[in-house]
Amino acid sequence: MVQALQSQGLPYVRLLECRRTPEYEIVVVDIEAEVPQHPVHDVRTVERIAFGFAPADTDHQVVLALREDFPLVPHLHFGGENMPLSLCLYQTAYADLKPTWTAAALLRQLQHWLTQTARGELHAADQALEQAFYAPAERLVLPSAYFAAEATDLEPVRARIVSNVLGQTTLVALPLSASPPTAGWQVQFASFVYTTPPQVHGLIHEQPRTLGALQTYLSTENTDFLDALRQHLATSKGRSGFSWDHKLLLIVRMPKQRTVEGPIEGMEVWAFATVGTLAEIGTDVGIWRAQPNKVVELFYTDASRIGQQSPLVLLNPVCALTRELAAAYNDVSPTTTRFVAIGAGSLGSQVVNNLVRAGQGNWVWLDEDYYQPHNTARHYLPGSAVGMGKAEAMAATLQTTHEQAEVQAIAANVLKPVSDSVRIAYEAAEVVLDMSASVAVARHLTLGITSPGRRLSLFLNPSGTDLVLLAEPQDRALRLDQLEMEYYRALLRQPALQSHLHLAGRPIRYSHACRDVSVRLPQDQVALHAAIGARAVRTTVAEPEARLKIWQAQPDLTVTAHEIEVSPYTEKAMSGWTVSLSQQLVRELHAQRQARLPNETGGILVGVFDTQQRRLYIVDLIPSPADSLESPTAYVRGIKGVPAELARISECTGRQVVYVGEWHSHPDGYSIRPSEDDKNLFARLQRERQAEGLPAVMAIVGEDGTLGWHVSTMAADADEPHRGSQA
């Protein structure tokens, strides 16, 4: 600093002297500011300023205005008793400023501060109001209601010291009605809340260090803080939970204005912890007298005792997290969507954790599984939760995330008959989010429960490299089971997804039961997909459309996304089965017919049988093999390439999609009624499929968009009519 002042580059500042005290090395200067002819604040053209440099160099330099009548303006604070006013030049922490700090920059910042203050422009019109005191390191976490300007009837709190790290103490206060967070949570402080009349923001004051000093700071013609405190102590001593040994937590709420005529812009909250007990505080404010082993009430208040012997510790209040604040910190809008989540495993635990911490949704979590040692490798829960129910442990962990967090757990197997609590959860759900990675569970949630909720399914592929989202539209016009078939179709059609369902590496056995195995899957990969999945759920729920999307992570964790276009479905009931296929597949069948006219053509239908739900899903078709015989009056399907293609389809879809039946076309001028050859073929199909316990399926594609379906589970003579339908 001295070298900079002795150079020729700073003509607006002059070095006067240097001093040394036990705390600082001090440099005193006269500095010129650009002051307008009629300044808003009394800043002089030349101001005398002292810089204090502490040897440790861990905090901003102390900047003192040496003029005794320096104006009381924003961004000032008391440096201490009998000390000059201290100027606050920076909002940036010193540790962040220090790498680029120069003496010249400090002097320029001081000149700017003085000039802007003289013009009344230092505190911008849209800048936050100036605080009353310099914030200490000691913190107090308070319920959010205490910071609300409109709050009047505030519930008292109980508080305790939770931590003391590196000399910095943190207290946590809870409403009296709230359950303690831990079994050993012992109350140490009782509370007194005081709301002052509106305060116009201004300079930062020296903190009150006793009850008497706080009374002096708060005293106005409309305020008598001590009388209110005396009344509170007198009435609270007879209440449940009162203890003479508790200390007192004073919570002072100050409605803040920018100007005297201006509106209330916020509620500034400060807190003070007493060093003495309630017995000692009451004695020092003259309402009782503490004696050995007892406290004696006074008949009259001793007004001469105003708390001068009761030291206070200033605390920096911090608002407890609310749903709105959690969402704001995550840069999203809060939601109260009613979710029922199924599956509290590796992916589910981390997805819901991400969403709750972002202020998203109210949750009921269904899972009957319990936490085992191997789960700790890639789960949100810590090892201390081993042996607990996964859903219950996650709910207990997350329901204290913010004040409005609603996370309820029900130990339930969703494939078994539902309890009343599960039924009520389904009936109230807006979204049913399946993260079980079970085909059976996903289909049951779609077809086997009663709920108005939109169904979503989020799961990882077997190797954990890919994340899949299936989401019904809000009107549920396309169901989750149908989206599952669109997913299989995408695996069959898109080259990048051919190995999507392959399992990489041998599973690890963690116990003796035959199913006690776990896949090899890195936690960083699960965390990556949990982050993607949480955002995908949040954005999808906010949109009305159906969605099918697959994210593929590479070994370096770069991600490629595949947004899959989906098609509406049509369904027909016949022979005790419901046939379901996409309109896109119908169009492709007609396109195949049209391309081979005037000849008949055909091929193979592949899809999924669900024998529990008695549903048949047509997923895709195999076009006419190259060795087929096609003519205007007949079609004989060949077999060239068919076994290999069926094997590829089975492997590609994890053995979900299989051979279903046959399709062929009729030429123009002919109906879709089966010919004698068709009847013979269908009878043969019936006999072959009967051995597998599955229905025979045949589709006939005709002109003008007609399509006939024939489904039967019983063998029949060729002359007998076959059950069918045409669309």
Side-chain angles (χ1 to χ4, degrees):
M1 171 66 81
V2 172
Q3 289 175 347
L5 292 169
Q6 290 175 340
S7 71
Q8 302 301 312
L10 302 169
Y12 55 86
V13 61
R14 183 166 64 94
L15 173 64
L16 296 181
E17 62 175 317
C18 296
R19 299 182 183 182
R20 178 179 287 116
T21 70
E23 294 84 16
Y24 298 104
E25 290 185 356
I26 297 174
V27 179
V28 182
V29 303
D30 278 347
I31 185 166
E32 297 179 13
E34 297 177 6
V35 177
Q37 185 175 1
H38 301 288
V40 175
H41 298 293
D42 181 25
V43 175
R44 308 289 170 79
T45 303
V46 177
E47 291 286 357
R48 185 154 295 179
I49 303 294
F51 293 98
F53 293 83
D57 196 31
T58 56
D59 295 299
H60 283 291
Q61 292 76 38
V62 174
V63 184
L64 304 174
L66 299 185
R67 176 158 62 95
E68 289 186 3
D69 59 347
F70 193 85
L72 301 180
V73 295
H75 301 282
L76 278 181
H77 60 86
F78 287 99
E81 191 173 356
N82 299 321
M83 287 285 290
L85 295 172
S86 180
L87 283 59
C88 182
L89 301 188
Y90 295 99
Q91 295 187 37
T92 306
Y94 185 58
D96 296 326
L97 181 69
K98 193 173 178 179
T100 58
W101 185 96
T102 66
L106 175 61
L107 291 164
R108 285 196 299 271
Q109 180 67 12
L110 171 61
Q111 186 187 48
H112 172 79
W113 191 100
L114 293 168
T115 297
Q116 295 298 102
T117 297
R119 295 173 179 172
E121 298 173 356
L122 182 64
H123 198 92
D126 59 350
Q127 191 173 346
L129 299 181
E130 198 69 34
Q131 62 200 43
F133 309 113
Y134 226 24
E138 288 70 28
R139 297 180 184 273
L140 167 68
V141 179
L142 275 175
S144 62
Y146 283 78
F147 297 83
E150 66 278 5
T152 54
D153 188 17
L154 290 165
E155 182 181 359
V157 296
R158 51 187 174 184
R160 64 162 291 177
I161 296 174
V162 172
S163 69
N164 192 315
V165 179
L166 298 177
Q168 297 182 4
T169 302
T170 298
L171 286 77
V172 174
L174 297 174
L176 289 179
S177 60
S179 300
T182 62
W185 209 90
Q186 297 296 325
V187 177
Q188 295 168 290
F189 293 85
S191 67
F192 168 59
V193 183
Y194 185 77
T195 302
T196 72
Q199 307 278 314
V200 177
H201 85 128
L203 81 163
I204 300 176
H205 294 268
E206 183 179 11
Q207 68 184 60
R209 301 185 184 277
T210 65
L211 271 175
L214 180 58
Q215 162 69 18
T216 300
Y217 171 76
L218 295 175
S219 289
T220 69
E221 59 185 41
N222 300 318
T223 305
D224 198 333
F225 164 75
L226 273 184
D227 280 351
L229 174 60
R230 287 168 178 146
Q231 183 178 359
H232 171 78
L233 291 173
T235 56
S236 62
K237 69 178 180 60
R239 294 175 183 164
S240 174
F242 178 88
S243 170
W244 295 108
D245 294 326
H246 285 168
K247 297 180 181 181
L248 185 63
L249 186 64
L250 301 166
I251 302 168
V252 179
R253 295 173 6 107
M254 296 184 284
K256 296 300 288 287
Q257 299 168 294
R258 198 170 294 272
T259 63
V260 175
E261 299 81 12
I264 303 299
E265 295 189 22
M267 183 66 72
E268 183 173 329
V269 182
W270 290 96
F272 302 84
T274 65
V275 176
T277 64
L278 294 181
E280 295 166 336
I281 297 300
T283 299
D284 198 32
V285 297
I287 60 172
W288 54 62
R289 184 169 298 158
Q291 297 180 351
N293 302 320
K294 65 177 180 178
V295 176
V296 178
E297 292 190 57
L298 300 181
F299 191 72
Y300 294 105
T301 298
D302 184 353
S304 67
R305 303 185 70 86
I306 58 171
Q308 296 288 10
Q309 306 305 314
S310 297
L312 298 178
V313 177
L314 179 64
L315 303 174
N316 183 9
V318 179
C319 181
L321 191 66
T322 64
R323 184 191 301 274
E324 290 72 22
L325 283 173
Y329 292 140
N330 282 271
D331 197 25
V332 298
S333 298
T335 68
T336 56
T337 304
R338 295 187 300 276
F339 284 90
V340 169
I342 293 87
S346 299
L347 180 67
S349 67
Q350 298 182 57
V351 166
V352 177
N353 169 66
N354 291 341
L355 289 168
V356 171
R357 292 180 188 278
Q360 305 298 299
N362 296 323
W363 298 82
V364 177
W365 216 330
L366 308 182
D367 196 311
E368 68 170 354
D369 201 9
Y370 63 93
Y371 199 55
Q372 300 188 64
H374 74 280
N375 296 136
T376 310
R378 48 174 187 266
H379 198 281
Y380 180 75
L381 287 171
S384 58
V386 167
M388 301 174 65
K390 288 180 180 177
E392 291 92 331
M394 284 300 303
T397 300
L398 295 181
Q399 65 191 3
T400 58
T401 302
H402 56 77
E403 288 183 336
Q404 292 80 33
E406 293 186 19
V407 187
Q408 175 190 355
I410 302 175
N413 183 330
V414 299
L415 295 177
K416 295 181 179 179
V418 300
S419 63
D420 287 343
S421 58
V422 173
R423 176 183 53 78
I424 291 170
Y426 284 152
E427 291 174 352
E430 295 176 270
V431 175
V432 178
L433 174 59
D434 171 42
M435 295 177 288
S436 66
S438 165
V439 170
V441 168
R443 291 186 195 164
H444 175 72
L445 293 172
T446 307
L447 302 167
I449 68 170
T450 300
S451 173
R454 177 185 186 185
R455 274 60 156 182
L456 274 66
S457 183
L458 190 71
F459 58 92
L460 296 173
N461 68 337
S463 61
T465 58
D466 300 0
L467 176 72
V468 182
L469 172 69
L470 311 179
E472 296 179 344
Q474 284 184 350
D475 62 5
R476 301 202 66 211
L478 188 61
R479 297 192 314 270
L480 193 60
D481 59 324
Q482 296 164 339
L483 286 165
E484 178 194 346
M485 305 309 142
E486 292 290 279
Y487 162 61
Y488 294 144
R489 180 180 168 89
L491 301 187
L492 295 175
R493 295 282 182 108
Q494 297 198 18
L497 302 176
Q498 293 296 294
S499 59
H500 168 79
L501 289 180
H502 291 179
L503 177 61
R506 293 173 59 86
I508 299 174
R509 182 170 297 280
Y510 60 83
S511 188
H512 296 301
C514 61
R515 295 178 182 174
D516 286 351
V517 294
S518 181
V519 298
R520 300 173 186 267
L521 176 57
Q523 160 59 19
D524 54 11
Q525 215 161 274
V526 179
L528 172 70
H529 286 311
I532 294 171
R535 177 165 295 191
V537 168
R538 175 173 59 80
T539 56
T540 299
V541 168
E543 299 169 352
E545 297 84 9
R547 194 175 190 190
L548 197 172
K549 194 165 184 176
I550 302 173
W551 293 265
Q552 288 186 306
Q554 306 306 316
D556 64 353
L557 295 187
T558 56
V559 177
T560 302
H562 303 270
E563 190 86 47
I564 311 299
E565 185 177 352
V566 296
S567 169
Y569 267 59
T570 59
E571 292 189 336
K572 291 289 182 181
M574 58 193 75
S575 298
W577 287 79
T578 299
V579 179
S580 182
L581 76 161
S582 70
Q583 294 179 13
Q584 175 60 29
L585 186 58
V586 172
R587 288 191 292 269
E588 291 182 9
L589 285 167
H590 286 287
Q592 292 277 333
R593 172 187 177 276
Q594 189 68 26
R596 308 306 279 261
L597 288 174
N599 293 333
E600 293 187 8
T601 189
I604 291 173
L605 298 171
V606 294
V608 174
F609 290 103
D610 187 329
T611 58
Q612 298 301 305
Q613 299 289 344
R614 301 288 288 181
R615 287 182 174 271
L616 165 59
Y617 301 92
I618 311 299
V619 172
D620 209 344
L621 61 86
I622 298 177
S624 181
D627 58 341
S628 301
L629 300 178
E630 300 180 355
S631 73
T633 58
Y635 173 72
V636 179
R637 177 179 65 78
I639 61 170
K640 187 175 183 180
V642 169
E645 179 62 5
L646 288 174
R648 182 192 75 85
I649 290 170
S650 177
E651 181 181 14
C652 189
T653 61
R655 293 173 295 281
Q656 291 293 324
V657 178
V658 297
Y659 170 88
V660 166
E662 303 288 328
W663 72 272
H664 69 276
S665 66
H666 284 181
D668 289 347
Y670 290 84
S671 74
I672 56 174
R673 291 179 61 83
S675 65
E676 290 302 315
D677 288 341
D678 295 338
K679 293 178 181 179
N680 292 331
L681 171 63
F682 193 66
R684 192 182 74 189
L685 287 174
Q686 286 177 300
R687 287 188 289 271
E688 292 176 354
R689 300 299 277 170
Q690 188 173 345
E692 301 178 54
L694 295 172
V697 178
M698 184 173 69
I700 302 176
V701 186
E703 62 181 332
D704 299 326
T706 56
L707 179 61
W709 285 97
H710 302 269
V711 178
S712 178
T713 56
M714 299 293 291
D717 294 333
D719 292 331
E720 292 182 355
H722 301 285
R723 300 172 183 175
S725 175
Q726 63 184 43

